[in-house]
Amino acid sequence: MAKTALITGITGQDGYYLSRLLLEKGYRVVGLVPPDRQHSLTKLNELKDQLTTYLVDLTRADAITQAMDVLQPDEIYNLAAPSFVPDSWKDPLGTLDLITGTATRMLEATRQLGLRTRFYQASSSEIFGQVCSSPQTAETAFRPTNPYGAAKLHAHWTMVHHRERYGLFACSGILYNHESPRRPPQFVTRKVSLAAAAIKLGLRDRLSIGNLEAKRDWGFAGDHVEAMWRMLQAETPEDYVIGTGKLHTVRDLVATAFDCVGLDWQKYVESDPHLVRADEHFQLVADPSKAKRNLGWEPQVSFEELVSTMVLTDIKYLEAGTLVPAGVA
Ligand code: GDP
């Protein structure tokens, strides 16, 4: 019988790539979707008709428990979160409830129902925050510097407590930045790929950017969701950092994106001090060796391939005038 995978946050970037992977593997994929997010299901494009959605208010423990009792999932991927980190300052309590509250409600439902469900918690490199050593492993000290990171850390510990106290098969993937043509445009990679594409097509002529020396460990979302799945197939539940292990600057990103379309970035890009963030940390870089050793996981898509796919897809998308590129890599 096909395994059932339950996904929260299915309408986001990772939800798309994970659903696609699990459907290819023959899973019955069920998205737990809050009623007010139903309209976002169109973002799943061609996958929409292949998966099941179950409308649930994720702030209600009884609704989550009832859904899990009905669905009896073999695996849960808890991806739901407001993803844009700076926004968490505007609503710290809402961020905490969505991230930590949902994780706790799902873990408690698993425990109370006595399910043997395997649980994946989407954690984030933001839990390292003001890092004390680089690169990071799952054993590096956690020192988050914003409400998003603090909420992700609380959810991480709640998951660890359920694993240690109740013996649940639960684990965290501490993921570094992961991108794709489905990344929302407020993130710098998509902002840059859209700008390079639009400038190439003569639709605009400038790009304002923040700190060109900012650095990130950028990987491809499709590679990172493969690591999520592998974590739940392992013999024992363990936590992993998932990233490429390579740092690139925003300057590298801009130069690579403009180079793909044969443009000299220096002619089009201007630095805007209002876009420079205070209190940034630029040594967030993964040591993914444990994932390679235990799970056989390695990123398949290089930084250059990722950026060029994003730019070329945005050119197609701008030419076609569609909002979300359908069936993109
Ligand atoms: P984050 O790592 O989740 O905050 O992802 P972002 O894509 O928003 O930001 C990645 C890095 O790019 C951060 O260090 C930003 O400060 C830096 N950055 C530089 N210029 C920009 C910009 O114009 N927009 C955004 N979003 N980030 C920028």
Side-chain angles (χ1 to χ4, degrees):
M1 211 172 75
K3 279 189 184 174
T4 297
L6 203 156
I7 305 178
T8 67
I10 198 166
T11 56
Q13 168 189 262
D14 294 3
Y16 173 85
Y17 286 102
L18 181 63
S19 300
R20 195 172 78 173
L21 177 83
L22 296 174
L23 287 166
E24 276 165 15
K25 292 188 181 296
Y27 279 72
R28 174 169 81 116
V29 176
V30 184
L32 277 198
V33 181
D36 62 351
R37 304 287 299 178
Q38 224 180 332
H39 61 279
S40 300
L41 285 165
T42 52
K43 289 198 273 178
L44 290 165
N45 298 105
E46 77 285 2
L47 302 185
K48 193 170 154 274
D49 298 331
Q50 299 173 54
L51 41 87
T52 313
T53 50
Y54 200 98
L55 296 184
V56 172
D57 178 351
L58 295 175
T59 65
R60 281 188 41 207
D62 59 337
I64 288 184
T65 306
Q66 193 207 21
M68 283 174 50
D69 199 17
V70 171
L71 297 164
Q72 299 276 313
D74 297 282
E75 295 171 13
I76 291 176
Y77 296 86
N78 182 33
L79 312 183
S83 62
F84 195 51
V85 175
D87 284 351
S88 68
W89 291 106
K90 294 182 204 153
D91 184 14
L93 201 54
T95 304
L96 184 71
D97 190 58
L98 180 51
I99 294 178
T100 314
T102 304
T104 309
R105 289 185 275 272
M106 299 196 89
L107 287 159
E108 277 294 281
T110 308
R111 176 181 78 79
Q112 285 163 5
L113 293 167
L115 301 176
R116 298 175 64 81
T117 308
R118 295 187 168 206
F119 185 91
Y120 172 85
Q121 173 57 25
S123 199
S124 160
S125 56
E126 285 292 329
I127 68 177
F128 293 120
Q130 201 65 47
V131 290
C132 49
S133 62
S134 274
Q136 295 85 41
T137 69
E139 276 69 51
T140 303
F142 304 128
R143 299 159 79 190
T145 53
N146 53 55
Y148 175 90
K152 282 283 184 187
L153 183 54
H154 192 153
H156 172 82
W157 281 125
T158 302
M159 179 284 302
V160 172
H161 297 158
H162 279 74
R163 180 170 69 206
E164 291 181 350
R165 189 174 175 100
Y166 306 120
L168 297 192
F169 191 112
C171 36
S172 259
I174 305 170
L175 267 56
Y176 287 65
N177 293 48
H178 45 290
E179 319 292 317
S180 77
R182 291 183 167 267
R183 194 64 147 147
Q186 68 264 43
F187 289 90
V188 73
T189 50
R190 187 75 194 288
K191 178 177 173 177
V192 169
S193 69
L194 268 170
I199 292 171
K200 177 68 182 174
L201 295 176
L203 300 173
R204 56 189 271 199
D205 54 11
R206 310 245 25 104
L207 165 65
S208 293
I209 203 86
N211 187 354
L212 281 167
E213 307 314 323
K215 289 183 199 159
R216 284 287 186 271
D217 177 336
W218 279 297
F220 171 49
D223 283 343
H224 285 40
V225 301
E226 168 83 26
M228 298 178 186
W229 177 75
R230 289 192 186 204
M231 285 171 64
L232 293 198
Q233 313 314 308
E235 247 169 61
T236 50
E238 288 183 49
D239 307 322
Y240 291 88
V241 296
I242 302 295
T244 67
K246 296 187 180 112
L247 275 177
H248 289 274
T249 59
V250 172
R251 183 186 296 275
D252 294 335
L253 168 68
V254 170
T256 307
F258 279 71
D259 196 44
C260 289
V261 285
L263 297 175
D264 175 3
W265 70 274
Q266 305 206 48
K267 291 190 185 148
Y268 306 95
V269 178
E270 61 202 6
S271 207
D272 179 348
H274 299 295
L275 295 172
V276 174
R277 295 183 196 164
D279 303 330
E280 280 231 80
H281 31 82
F282 297 138
Q283 293 308 321
L284 274 183
V285 58
D287 170 358
S289 54
K290 180 177 164 187
K292 183 175 179 189
R293 202 168 52 246
N294 291 7
L295 307 174
W297 179 84
E298 273 187 289
Q300 301 297 309
V301 175
S302 70
F303 175 75
E304 290 74 18
E305 286 166 334
L306 170 65
V307 175
S308 109
T309 302
M310 290 179 71
V311 175
L312 298 180
T313 308
D314 278 330
I315 287 185
K316 277 196 227 153
Y317 145 58
L318 287 174
E319 283 175 337
T322 52
L323 192 63
V324 176
V328 291

